[in-house]
Structures are given as structure tokens and as C-alpha cells.
Amino acid sequence: MLQQQWGEALLQRLHVIGRTAAALGTPAYLVGGCVRDFLQNRPAPDIDLAIEGDVRAVAEACSTEPSGVQCTYHPHFGTAILQYPDGFQLDLARCRIEHYPAPAALPEVQPGDIQTDLIRRDFTINAMAISLDPEKFGDFLDPYGGRMDLQRRLLRVLHPLSFLDDPTRILRGLRFAVRFQLQLETGTRGLLEGALTQDIFARLSGARLWRELKYLLELSDLPAALEELDAWQLWPLLRPTRPELEALLAQIQRGQQEINWFHYHFPDENLCDTAVLLTILWRDSPWAAAEKRLHYWPLAGGRHILSDLHLLSEMPVALAKASHPSAVARLWESLSLPGILALLAEYPETGAITESGHYYLLKQRGLTSPLNGKDLQAMGLAPGPQLGKVLRRLHDARLDGEIEDKETARQWLIRQGILPSIQP
Ligand code: ATP
Ligand code: MG
């Protein structure tokens, strides 16, 4: 099966590792997500190996000449990466025992064997291994019934303290549930409810919680993930109250459409997609709730979300009132890029507001005045705040289509009485 799904070349690489590890007196295993993905006949994004003995010795022995394999060892984590000449890579880690000194604390780690390494894992579907040992290559280790759970589409933790030890597993589980259409097994559901009554997330650092939430927000099927989050009663992680679900999911979907639209038209420009989604999620929540969360979450551009949340409610009326293209552009300009897309998410794809927002992003945003400060000074205007005002008016005139180039701008300055009509 490995040969069929992963191909002969990878199979040979795994054989080499198994033999090399055995020669050094240590078994090696495929573990975790790649075994789960293999059983589902899905491509595995990364392939993890667990080694019972010395990771460094195995990795270095696999990367001797003339294999062309490069080895990078990370002493701090006791992990190694094997990089093959064709760019393929394998991650090696030492089998370990984990002990949680307190709920939600980081674990104390000791070397262990494959059995202890599997029981430290999050869910049965992620706690399976395949032996690479030459004597029993391909032997399947499944002490917690992960394969059966995968068939029955059940998400099950390995022991009752699992969520208390590490609450990030709740959000990992939510992602797996959405990605692989899994149901919470009844006992695990009880453990989740128990963990939530103990306010377990409060013990987690903001940065750890944020990392998991960010992965969640990056799921392409975010509406399904938020529906699941609703069923798991996890809204307090994201916002103070349960939202009106249907409306919010529709807006999230529109937001994702706008994000795609933006990336399509501006492939080289940076956009923080997460900021768009958070702005949508927080639009109808008290501002202080958003501020409190951003205080702990290291999101670049978080401050912009807060200022956008202030401005967004006034935008539709202000846009309707704006009489000139320049006034409309100035309004859009007051929002950050994510703020603009979050506002568009509240309106249909075809409609006046979306059209106006797209026009601003595609056309108005890039328009510059044909004359700069230096040009104006060369024309005899004195430097200072007054010059800044003239530049701004010129920019507005450009947005309103009153000027096109340097010459029409000069005539405009004369008409406005800013420049004398007869110049030296
Ligand atoms: P993905 O396809 O998203 O990478 P994955 O299962 O490989 O899924 P990783 O985050 O790459 O997830 O982790 C690899 C493995 O490490 C998991 O399959 C799981 O066995 C274990 N693991 C990761 N995080 C935890 C955790 N917080 N608690 C227990 N085990 C974990
Ligand atoms: Mg992985």
C-alpha cells in the first residue's frame, strides 16, 4: 500500500532509514498525521518519523556521501530534517514521554519509546505508527483504535485529562473535525464540556491560543469551521456573544470572495486575510472586546482593526452623502485595506458599495497628483503647511477628473487663483 500511494522512490528512502536506524540499534517509525492521511488515501503534506534512539546519529548516517541528502539537526528540540536532492524532506524526532506539571502548562519531556510517544498524542486518529524496521517493515501500530475511529469518522482523545493538559487540542480537534468530517465521540464530547466549564482556555497564553485560532481562520472552509465552533460552544474564544449565525456565515463567505478578488487583482500586494475575517467577526461586538483580544494576540496590523471598527458603522451613510469622487476616495482611504474588504463583505457582490470600493482599489488608490511639492516650489509657492493644502487640493482635482497632467494642473492652479495668471 505504501508503494502504491507514495511511490517506489519514497518507499526506498524509508527502507534506507529503517535499515540505518536498525544498524544503530534503534527502531524508526512513521507517525502522526502522515499515517492518518495515508489510511485515508490523502496526500500527506509532511512526513514525520519517530526514532527511539539517537536522532542525530540516525540523521547523520542517512546523509553520508554519496546520498546527496542534507541533514539539519536542531539540538534544542532533538529533531532533524533530512533534505533530499529533489527538494523532498522528512522530519525526524525522538520518541518521548510528556508530563504536564499543571493544566495548560508546557509539558516536561523525557526520552521514551514508541508506546509512550503515541500516548502523548492528541487524538486516536493521530496516534498510529508504521514500523520501518527491516525485520517488520510496514507493521501497523494502532494501540488506541485510530483506524476504526477514522472509519467511523470519530474524533476521540486518548485519556480523560487530554484537554486539560493541553487546551490547544480542542482547536486542533475542531480543525480535524472540519477537514475530515469527524464527529466528537460521546466521551470526548463530555470531556470537552467539562474542560470548558473549568475555563481552561484562560490558563493558556494569548500567543498559544492565537496560533491555533489563526490556523482555524486560515481554513478554506471557514464557514463550516465556524458552524462547528458554534456546535462546540467555543464562541467565547473569538467574541463575547454568540452571533446571528446565518448572517455571519454569509458575510464570512463574502469576505473570502473579496479576499480572493483582491489577491487576483493585486498578486504582489500584502494583505492580512486574517484581519479581514476578524473585522467581520467583530463588527457587531463591543469595541472593548476586540481590544482586549488584540492586546494578547500578536497580529500585525491589529491596531488598524480597532480604528476600522470605529469607522465602519458610519461609512455607508457617509458614502451615500459624498458628492464628489474625491470625497468618496477620501472615505475609503480612511479605512485600512482589510477594513475596506470587511465592509464590502456586508454588501452583495454586485451593488453600488462594492462597485465603489472596487473602483477605489483599482483606480483611485493609484492616482497621484501630476505636480509634486518640488514642482510647486519651482512655480514660486513657498514651502510650509499651505503647500501641503494645495497638494491635497490638486490630488482631489485629479480624483475628480479636473486635471490630467502637468499643464492642465498648472491651468487649474491659475483658475483657483493659487498661481498668478501671467507667470514670469
Ligand atoms: P497536519 O496535516 O495539519 O499537519 P498533523 O496531525 O500532522 O496534521 P501536526 O501539527 O503536524 O499535525 O502534528 C503532528 C503530530 O504531532 C500529530 O498528528 C499529533 O500526533 C502530534 N501532535 C501535534 N500537536 C499535538 C498536541 N498539541 N498534543 C498532542 N499531540 C500533538
Ligand atoms: Mg503535520
Side-chain angles (χ1 to χ4, degrees):
M1 283 171 73
L2 276 172
Q3 185 187 26
Q4 249 177 23
Q5 273 191 50
W6 288 359
E8 184 60 26
L10 175 52
L11 192 70
Q12 286 315 318
R13 284 171 180 173
L14 296 176
H15 272 299
V16 169
I17 294 173
R19 278 199 299 271
T20 312
L24 289 163
T26 168
Y29 301 87
L30 289 166
V31 275
C34 68
V35 179
R36 174 200 68 217
D37 294 341
F38 166 70
L39 288 178
Q40 299 187 96
N41 210 345
R42 288 170 183 260
D46 42 39
I47 294 191
D48 294 316
L49 303 179
I51 309 288
E52 281 191 357
D54 187 341
V55 168
R56 182 180 204 159
V58 173
E60 286 179 353
C62 289
S63 59
T64 48
E65 292 299 330
S67 65
V69 181
Q70 302 266 349
C71 153
T72 317
Y73 180 67
H74 299 287
H76 184 68
F77 299 107
T79 57
I81 296 174
L82 290 180
Q83 187 96 41
Y84 289 80
D86 57 2
F88 180 78
Q89 75 172 46
L90 289 170
D91 296 326
L92 277 61
R94 179 84 165 83
C95 287
R96 58 203 215 204
I97 301 173
E98 284 184 349
H99 168 70
Y100 287 83
L106 289 172
E108 292 165 2
V109 176
Q110 279 172 265
D113 59 19
I114 190 67
Q115 301 301 334
T116 65
D117 196 69
L118 291 181
I119 197 162
R120 74 172 176 87
R121 290 175 185 264
D122 47 5
F123 300 101
T124 60
I125 58 163
N126 290 341
M128 299 179 276
I130 294 174
S131 171
L132 300 182
D133 201 74
E135 300 280 297
K136 34 189 178 175
F137 189 93
D139 268 15
F140 181 54
L141 280 76
D142 182 14
Y144 307 103
R147 188 181 196 170
M148 185 65 91
D149 282 344
L150 209 47
Q151 272 167 11
R152 295 186 184 159
R153 311 230 75 78
L154 289 178
L155 191 68
R156 185 197 307 264
V157 288
L158 303 192
H159 59 85
L161 292 180
S162 188
F163 289 144
L164 300 180
D165 280 348
D166 180 357
T168 67
R169 290 174 184 160
I170 296 175
L171 284 166
R172 286 178 58 82
L174 186 71
R175 294 205 310 273
F176 293 126
V178 175
R179 266 167 75 191
F180 306 126
Q181 286 106 48
L182 309 173
Q183 302 281 327
L184 272 174
E185 175 271 333
T186 316
T188 300
R189 178 174 291 282
L191 294 172
L192 168 68
E193 285 162 6
L196 293 181
T197 58
Q198 294 190 41
D199 201 13
I200 189 68
F201 283 105
R203 299 171 196 248
L204 207 59
S205 79
R208 275 179 79 196
L209 175 61
W210 170 240
R211 199 178 53 202
E212 295 301 327
L213 286 173
K214 191 162 164 18
Y215 288 142
L216 186 80
L217 294 172
E218 284 167 358
L219 290 180
S220 57
D221 200 356
L222 182 59
L226 293 177
E227 251 181 305
E228 196 73 15
L229 180 120
D230 185 58
W232 291 28
Q233 303 190 0
L234 293 178
W235 280 114
L237 293 182
L238 274 176
R239 36 177 287 147
T241 54
R242 182 175 184 269
E244 209 286 275
L245 196 59
E246 213 172 307
L248 178 75
L249 297 186
Q251 275 184 30
I252 290 286
Q253 217 157 15
R254 273 286 295 128
Q256 287 182 315
Q257 245 176 12
E258 286 302 322
I259 290 170
N260 292 339
W261 178 92
F262 186 84
H263 288 304
Y264 174 79
H265 286 281
F266 304 99
D268 299 325
E269 205 172 326
N270 273 338
L271 165 71
C272 178
D273 300 3
T274 315
V276 181
L277 300 167
L278 282 179
T279 310
I280 296 172
L281 280 165
W282 290 340
R283 214 20 201 100
D284 63 343
S285 299
W287 189 83
E291 194 196 23
K292 189 176 123 206
R293 283 173 173 76
L294 283 174
H295 186 70
Y296 295 106
W297 295 354
L299 172 75
R303 289 276 118 197
H304 290 299
I305 299 184
L306 296 177
S307 59
D308 288 342
L309 286 171
H310 268 314
L311 293 169
L312 277 170
S313 347
E314 295 145 25
M315 281 292 287
V317 174
L319 281 169
K321 277 192 190 154
S323 52
H324 288 81
S326 56
V328 174
R330 296 282 179 210
L331 283 169
W332 286 117
E333 203 179 70
S334 67
L335 293 174
S336 75
L337 201 47
I340 293 175
L341 300 181
L343 181 65
L344 300 189
E346 293 174 27
Y347 293 89
E349 201 181 347
T350 49
I353 297 250
T354 305
E355 212 171 279
S356 164
H358 285 179
Y359 183 70
Y360 167 74
L361 292 171
L362 290 168
K363 291 276 182 329
Q364 294 179 309
R365 197 169 57 125
L367 282 186
T368 50
S369 159
L371 297 174
N372 60 26
K374 268 194 187 151
D375 296 328
L376 292 182
Q377 284 181 54
M379 290 171 166
L381 294 187
Q386 201 55 34
L387 191 76
K389 278 188 193 155
V390 173
L391 278 170
R392 200 176 155 84
R393 285 183 60 196
L394 270 170
H395 190 198
D396 283 349
R398 177 84 177 98
L399 286 163
D400 292 332
E402 293 170 22
I403 59 177
E404 281 290 325
D405 49 20
K406 282 190 194 303
E407 182 48 32
T408 48
R410 203 183 58 80
Q411 287 165 9
W412 183 87
L413 287 169
I414 294 170
R415 282 203 303 281
Q416 300 297 314
I418 296 167
L419 283 182
S421 51
I422 299 166
Q423 282 200 288

